[in-house]
Coordinates of all heavy atoms in Angstrom, one line a residue:
L49 N -25.2 3.1 -78.1 CA -25.2 4.5 -78.2 C -24.6 5.1 -79.5 O -25.1 6.1 -80.0 CB -24.4 5.1 -77.0 CG -24.9 5.0 -75.6 CD1 -23.9 5.5 -74.6 CD2 -26.2 5.8 -75.4
T50 N -23.6 4.4 -80.0 CA -22.8 5.0 -81.1 C -23.0 4.2 -82.4 O -22.6 4.7 -83.5 CB -21.4 5.1 -80.8 OG1 -20.8 3.8 -80.6 CG2 -21.1 5.9 -79.6
R51 N -23.5 3.0 -82.3 CA -23.6 2.1 -83.5 C -22.3 1.8 -84.2 O -22.2 1.7 -85.4 CB -24.6 2.7 -84.5 CG -25.9 3.0 -84.0 CD -26.9 1.9 -84.0 NE -28.3 2.3 -83.7 CZ -28.9 2.2 -82.5 NH1 -28.2 1.7 -81.6 NH2 -30.1 2.5 -82.4
S52 N -21.2 1.8 -83.4 CA -19.9 1.5 -83.9 C -19.1 0.8 -82.9 O -19.4 0.8 -81.7 CB -19.2 2.8 -84.3 OG -18.9 3.6 -83.1
L53 N -18.0 0.1 -83.3 CA -17.2 -0.7 -82.4 C -16.3 0.3 -81.6 O -15.8 1.3 -82.2 CB -16.3 -1.6 -83.2 CG -17.1 -2.8 -83.9 CD1 -16.2 -3.6 -84.7 CD2 -17.7 -3.7 -82.8
P54 N -16.1 0.0 -80.3 CA -15.3 0.9 -79.5 C -13.7 0.6 -79.7 O -13.4 -0.5 -80.3 CB -15.7 0.5 -78.1 CG -16.1 -0.9 -78.2 CD -16.7 -1.0 -79.5
V55 N -12.9 1.5 -79.3 CA -11.5 1.2 -79.2 C -11.2 0.8 -77.8 O -11.6 1.5 -76.8 CB -10.7 2.5 -79.6 CG1 -9.2 2.3 -79.4 CG2 -11.0 2.9 -81.0
L56 N -10.6 -0.3 -77.6 CA -10.2 -0.8 -76.2 C -8.7 -0.6 -76.0 O -7.9 -0.8 -77.0 CB -10.5 -2.3 -76.1 CG -12.0 -2.7 -76.2 CD1 -12.1 -4.2 -76.1 CD2 -12.7 -2.1 -75.1
R57 N -8.4 -0.2 -74.8 CA -7.0 0.0 -74.5 C -6.7 -1.1 -73.5 O -7.3 -1.3 -72.5 CB -6.8 1.3 -73.7 CG -6.8 2.5 -74.8 CD -6.6 3.8 -73.9 NE -7.7 4.1 -73.1 CZ -7.6 4.3 -71.8 NH1 -6.5 4.1 -71.1 NH2 -8.7 4.5 -71.0
L58 N -5.6 -1.9 -73.8 CA -5.1 -2.9 -72.9 C -3.8 -2.4 -72.4 O -2.9 -2.1 -73.1 CB -5.0 -4.3 -73.6 CG -6.1 -5.2 -73.6 CD1 -7.3 -4.7 -74.4 CD2 -5.7 -6.5 -74.1
S59 N -3.6 -2.5 -71.1 CA -2.3 -2.2 -70.5 C -2.1 -2.9 -69.2 O -3.0 -3.6 -68.7 CB -2.3 -0.7 -70.2 OG -3.1 -0.3 -69.2
V60 N -1.1 -2.7 -68.5 CA -0.8 -3.4 -67.3 C -1.9 -2.9 -66.2 O -2.2 -3.7 -65.3 CB 0.6 -3.2 -66.7 CG1 0.9 -3.8 -65.4 CG2 1.6 -3.8 -67.8
R61 N -2.3 -1.7 -66.3 CA -3.3 -1.2 -65.4 C -4.7 -1.8 -65.7 O -5.6 -1.6 -64.8 CB -3.4 0.4 -65.6 CG -2.1 1.1 -65.1 CD -2.3 2.6 -65.2 NE -3.3 3.0 -66.1 CZ -3.4 4.2 -66.6 NH1 -2.4 5.0 -66.5 NH2 -4.4 4.5 -67.4
G62 N -5.0 -2.3 -66.8 CA -6.2 -3.0 -67.1 C -6.7 -2.7 -68.5 O -6.0 -2.3 -69.3
V63 N -8.0 -3.0 -68.6 CA -8.7 -2.8 -69.9 C -9.7 -1.7 -69.8 O -10.3 -1.5 -68.8 CB -9.5 -4.1 -70.3 CG1 -10.2 -3.9 -71.6 CG2 -8.5 -5.2 -70.4
G64 N -9.8 -0.8 -70.8 CA -10.7 0.2 -70.8 C -11.1 0.7 -72.2 O -10.4 0.5 -73.2
L65 N -12.2 1.3 -72.3 CA -12.7 1.9 -73.5 C -12.0 3.3 -73.8 O -11.9 4.1 -72.8 CB -14.2 2.2 -73.5 CG -15.2 1.1 -74.1 CD1 -15.1 -0.1 -73.2 CD2 -16.5 1.7 -74.2
D66 N -11.5 3.6 -74.9 CA -11.0 4.8 -75.3 C -12.0 5.7 -75.8 O -12.4 5.5 -77.0 CB -9.8 4.6 -76.3 CG -9.0 5.8 -76.6 OD1 -9.4 6.9 -75.9 OD2 -8.1 5.7 -77.4
V67 N -12.5 6.6 -75.0 CA -13.6 7.5 -75.4 C -13.0 8.9 -75.9 O -13.8 9.7 -76.2 CB -14.6 7.7 -74.4 CG1 -15.3 6.4 -74.0 CG2 -14.0 8.3 -73.1
S68 N -11.7 9.0 -76.0 CA -11.1 10.3 -76.5 C -11.5 10.5 -77.9 O -11.5 9.6 -78.8 CB -9.7 10.3 -76.3 OG -9.0 9.2 -77.1
G69 N -11.9 11.7 -78.3 CA -12.2 12.1 -79.6 C -13.7 11.8 -79.9 O -14.1 12.1 -81.0
V70 N -14.4 11.3 -79.0 CA -15.8 10.9 -79.3 C -16.7 11.8 -78.4 O -16.4 11.9 -77.2 CB -16.2 9.4 -79.0 CG1 -17.6 9.1 -79.2 CG2 -15.3 8.6 -79.8
H71 N -17.6 12.6 -79.0 CA -18.5 13.4 -78.1 C -19.7 12.7 -77.6 O -20.5 12.2 -78.5 CB -18.9 14.6 -78.9 CG -19.8 15.5 -78.2 ND1 -19.3 16.3 -77.1 CD2 -21.1 15.7 -78.3 CE1 -20.4 17.0 -76.6 NE2 -21.5 16.7 -77.3
L72 N -19.8 12.6 -76.3 CA -21.0 11.9 -75.7 C -21.6 13.0 -74.8 O -20.9 13.8 -74.2 CB -20.5 10.8 -74.8 CG -20.0 9.6 -75.5 CD1 -19.4 8.5 -74.5 CD2 -20.9 8.9 -76.5

Side-chain angles (χ1 to χ4, degrees):
L49 292 174
T50 66
R51 308 270 192 262
S52 66
L53 292 174
V55 174
L56 294 177
R57 288 180 291 117
L58 270 68
S59 69
V60 177
R61 293 183 343 205
V63 179
L65 264 69
D66 187 0
V67 295
S68 60
V70 178
H71 178 70
L72 296 174

